[in-house]
Every structure is written in structure tokens, then in C-alpha cells.
Amino acid sequence: ESCEATGAASLEHCMGAALPGLSGLFCTSMDLDAQEFLDPPPNDEYRSMAEASAAQRSDRAFMLASLRKSGRLLRYASPELRADEEVVLAAVSSNGAALEHAAAELRAKRSVVLAAMQQRRDGSALRYAAAELRSDMDFMLEAVQYNGLLIRYASSALRRTKALALAAVQQNGHVLRDVAEHLQEDKEVVVAAVKQNGYVLRYVPMNLRADVDVVMAAVSSHGAAIRFATGDHKLDKDIVLASVAQYGLALEYIPPELQGDKDVVMAAAHQDGFALEFAPVALRADREVIRAAIESRGVGSHHACSAFSQAMEALIDKEFVSRVWQWCELVHGEKEARRMRFTEAHAQYVSCPSASEADRRRFPDLGWYFQESLKELDEDN
């Protein structure tokens, strides 16, 4: 039954019911321009329909059977059939782009347009809807709440309205680039966009990139957005803490003055231990910082990060470290040994026959031993 027949007039009800479990019906980052409805290569079915007689193109049963297989064949149907709702629904249910060839009155009918939008899933069949429907604020508000990019198909008058722009950027922050120019400089619209996707800060006008509310909203959504901030915000400790707390690796984009701040490094390490890679050497060997990093990434993660390797070398038994490097230089040469991380050298050393039995027993798992070393430091302190 159509939405109008059942009284369920919302996109959410009609499309959600048809695709249960899809709370976000459309892809939030899909570029609709890349989803052009290109005709398939000519095939026998298309050639046959193009060569069909007027009688065949007007044969309702024949066209219904054909359209259920390939909706774009609607272009070959007679004008009477392209104005037949059942025929058009069969076509758009097979290929939403068939809406392009429906009669004008059906391209303005909500239930038909919804069926076409549902078939495309990203809703982009809306481009073929009648102008009157794309000028309907209520309809377009519901459309952009599912896929903000659909604002591209709204009438020019609606695209200039703040209400539609806000609804669109709240669903997909990247839509900020598609709203009217004066709305791209509206602080409320910009804050809504960066809250949805902090990286959108890169598209924000420079004067708003220096606005503390905009920057805080952006880094709270995606910490790495701090790289696009202007003014003194990269030196604002509150903003920096919010940034690394959301995305520890954002420590890479923080000025050196705050990369050396223990509070900032601790917050980054808690969020992602690999953030140690961007911390000063002195803090990489700090017991509290290392513990935060290990707890964030787990025992085995040290193998993937040179910062962990350096931290371990700083804390583990110095005599053992010396034996590992001496063996490594003997086997690989001094130049090659310098290129290796301690974790790599250790793995090779404890598995070789020349390693002492005591070393192989005591240090078989560097991650475990590292944690034991931290416990000993805790006891000592």
C-alpha cells in the first residue's frame, strides 16, 4: 500500500518500514554526484524494446513484466503507461532512476517518489521528483534528515533557508559545502556541522576557525580537527585536552609547548597509547605516561610503536638491554643494529641459541616483563 493510502506520510515510516534495522538509511558521506544513473550497456532486452511496436509498448501486461526486470525500460512505454501508477511503481521499484521517465503528475506524487528513493537507498532518485515536491519544506526536511546531501535537490528557495541547512548538516557535516554561501558563515550552522564531523572545520571560513565555540565543537567530535584551527587555539590547553582526549594521535598536531605538557600527554596516552610517538623523549620514559599507554593499547601493542620500544629500553634491566644490543651488533653489524627497534632486537635475541638460558627464561615475553618492571617501580615509589 502507498504511504498516502495507509496514512503514513513520513519518509521515516515508509522507507524505514521497507528497510527495517537501517536507522541511518543513507550513507552519511556518499557523494551523490558520483552516483550518476548511467544507462547500462545496450543489450538484447534494450534493443528489443527500442524496436518494439507501439502496440507492445502499450501492452500493460507485457510492459509490467519487462519493467520488473529492468525499470529503465519505462522510457519505451507509451505515454498512457508512464502515467499509470502501478506501472511506474513497478519500474521505480526495480530502478529508482526510472522516475525520470514517469509522467509529471506521478513525479509529484509522494508515494511514487518515496518508492524510487527507497530503491536507490541513498535517496538520490529525488533529483527526478517534480519541482513542487522539491519545494515542499516538510518533505525536504525529512529527506535531508536521512541524507543531508539531498539538499542539493531542494529548490533554490529552500536551499537558502536556515532550517533546512541545519537539518542537513546535522545528518552530514560535509553538506556545509552545499548550503547557501551566507549560511556557510552562520555560526549556528557551522557549529552543527562540525559537531557532526569535526573534520569539516577545514571548510569553515577562516574567521570562524578562530572562534572558540566552533573549534571546541570540532575537536570534541574529531580531535585531529585541531590541525585546521587558527589563532591561538592550538595553545589553548582546554581545547588541546579536548582534542587529544577524543583522538590521542592528535598530539602530532599540537605545538611543542603543549606536546611537553604532562597533562596533555597523559590524556593522549589514555586515549591511544601510540600517541607516545609524538611525546618528548623525557615523557616517553615517565612511568605514569607509559602505564597509561600500556593500559590503552594492551600488552602486545608495544611491538608496533617505536615509542613503546624506547620506553621499554629505558625501564628494563640495563644489563639485559646491553647484552641484547651487543649480540645484535655482533650478528647484524653496528649500522644495521642502529636501525632496529629494541623490541625487534629482543625477539631475535631470546630465540637464538647463543642467548643464555637465564635470559630466555626471564625475558621470553617482553610485554609481560615490561609490566612486571612497572610493578616493581610502583613498589619502589
Side-chain angles (χ1 to χ4, degrees), residues 35 132 168 244 269 299 314 350 367:
Q35 300 295 311
E132 61 191 86
V244 298
V299 175
V350 296

Side-chain angles (χ1 to χ4, degrees), residues 52-129:
S53 66
Q56 286 177 308
R57 297 185 190 190
S58 299
D59 186 312
R60 195 170 188 275
F62 172 74
M63 289 304 300
L64 273 172
S66 300
L67 292 169
R68 288 182 179 124
K69 294 179 182 177
S70 180
R72 289 304 292 265
L73 293 176
L74 183 64
R75 71 177 65 188
Y76 300 113
S78 66
E80 293 78 16
L81 290 183
R82 282 187 275 135
D84 184 310
E85 184 171 352
E86 184 183 355
V87 171
V88 171
L89 280 172
V92 299
S93 296
S94 170
N95 187 327
L99 184 65
E100 178 183 10
H101 307 293
E105 61 268 23
L106 291 180
R107 287 188 286 112
K109 190 163 185 177
R110 188 184 183 98
S111 58
V112 174
V113 174
L114 286 175
M117 292 171 67
Q118 171 192 313
Q119 195 281 326
R120 293 305 303 182
R121 292 189 63 183
D122 65 354
S124 51
L126 178 62
R127 70 177 72 190
Y128 300 124

Side-chain angles (χ1 to χ4, degrees), residues 219-278:
V219 301
S220 297
S221 170
H222 196 310
I226 197 167
R227 66 192 298 188
F228 306 116
T230 60
D232 295 328
H233 295 314
K234 289 183 180 179
L235 293 172
D236 184 316
K237 188 170 178 178
D238 289 336
I239 288 178
V240 168
L241 283 170
S243 173
V244 298
Q246 197 284 325
Y247 181 63
L249 297 180
L251 188 63
E252 177 182 5
Y253 309 118
I254 306 304
E257 298 94 311
L258 287 175
Q259 277 184 338
D261 185 292
K262 185 172 177 179
D263 293 337
V264 171
V265 174
M266 282 288 290
H270 271 300
Q271 201 284 321
D272 190 333
F274 286 174
L276 277 187
E277 196 78 33
F278 309 110

Side-chain angles (χ1 to χ4, degrees), residues 37-339:
F37 299 121
L38 300 177
D39 289 335
N43 55 36
D44 292 341
E45 188 176 39
Y46 269 65
R47 292 191 187 98
S48 297
M49 189 61 72
E51 297 168 0
S53 66
Q56 286 177 308
R57 297 185 190 190
S58 299
D59 186 312
R60 195 170 188 275
F62 172 74
M63 289 304 300
L64 273 172
S66 300
L67 292 169
R68 288 182 179 124
K69 294 179 182 177
S70 180
R72 289 304 292 265
L73 293 176
L74 183 64
R75 71 177 65 188
Y76 300 113
S78 66
E80 293 78 16
L81 290 183
R82 282 187 275 135
D84 184 310
E85 184 171 352
E86 184 183 355
V87 171
V88 171
L89 280 172
V92 299
S93 296
S94 170
N95 187 327
L99 184 65
E100 178 183 10
H101 307 293
E105 61 268 23
L106 291 180
R107 287 188 286 112
K109 190 163 185 177
R110 188 184 183 98
S111 58
V112 174
V113 174
L114 286 175
M117 292 171 67
Q118 171 192 313
Q119 195 281 326
R120 293 305 303 182
R121 292 189 63 183
D122 65 354
S124 51
L126 178 62
R127 70 177 72 190
Y128 300 124
E132 61 191 86
L133 197 57
R134 291 184 285 112
S135 299
D136 184 310
M137 175 61 94
D138 291 337
F139 183 82
M140 289 307 304
L141 276 173
E142 293 183 56
V144 300
Q145 285 167 2
Y146 277 98
N147 186 349
L149 291 171
L150 294 179
I151 197 173
R152 296 175 182 176
Y153 306 130
S155 66
S156 58
L158 286 187
R159 289 185 67 173
R160 295 184 61 81
T161 62
K162 186 171 179 177
L164 191 64
L166 275 172
V169 299
Q170 285 167 353
Q171 196 281 328
N172 183 344
H174 284 283
V175 175
L176 184 65
R177 292 176 291 174
D178 294 293
V179 303
E181 189 172 343
H182 73 282
L183 293 173
Q184 292 179 20
E185 298 181 356
D186 184 288
K187 181 175 175 178
E188 186 179 358
V189 173
V190 169
V191 168
V194 298
K195 277 185 177 179
Q196 198 283 323
N197 187 327
Y199 243 56
V200 173
L201 187 62
R202 73 173 80 180
Y203 307 121
V204 171
M206 296 300 288
N207 63 309
L208 286 176
R209 288 197 214 179
D211 184 284
V212 65
D213 297 326
V214 172
V215 176
M216 182 62 85
V219 301
S220 297
S221 170
H222 196 310
I226 197 167
R227 66 192 298 188
F228 306 116
T230 60
D232 295 328
H233 295 314
K234 289 183 180 179
L235 293 172
D236 184 316
K237 188 170 178 178
D238 289 336
I239 288 178
V240 168
L241 283 170
S243 173
V244 298
Q246 197 284 325
Y247 181 63
L249 297 180
L251 188 63
E252 177 182 5
Y253 309 118
I254 306 304
E257 298 94 311
L258 287 175
Q259 277 184 338
D261 185 292
K262 185 172 177 179
D263 293 337
V264 171
V265 174
M266 282 288 290
H270 271 300
Q271 201 284 321
D272 190 333
F274 286 174
L276 277 187
E277 196 78 33
F278 309 110
V281 174
L283 286 175
R284 293 183 196 177
D286 183 283
R287 177 173 54 85
E288 290 182 285
V289 172
I290 294 170
R291 179 173 294 284
I294 288 292
E295 289 174 352
S296 164
R297 279 288 182 170
V299 175
S301 64
H302 57 275
H303 293 294
C305 180
S306 62
F308 277 125
S309 183
Q310 293 173 29
M312 289 181 187
E313 188 176 355
L315 291 180
I316 288 177
D317 183 278
K318 298 296 185 292
E319 291 183 3
F320 173 68
V321 171
S322 178
R323 289 195 295 275
V324 169
W325 285 125
Q326 286 175 7
W327 173 85
C328 193
E329 290 177 6
L330 182 65
V331 173
H332 298 289
E334 183 177 354
K335 185 176 180 180
E336 184 63 27
R338 286 179 179 175
R339 296 177 181 172

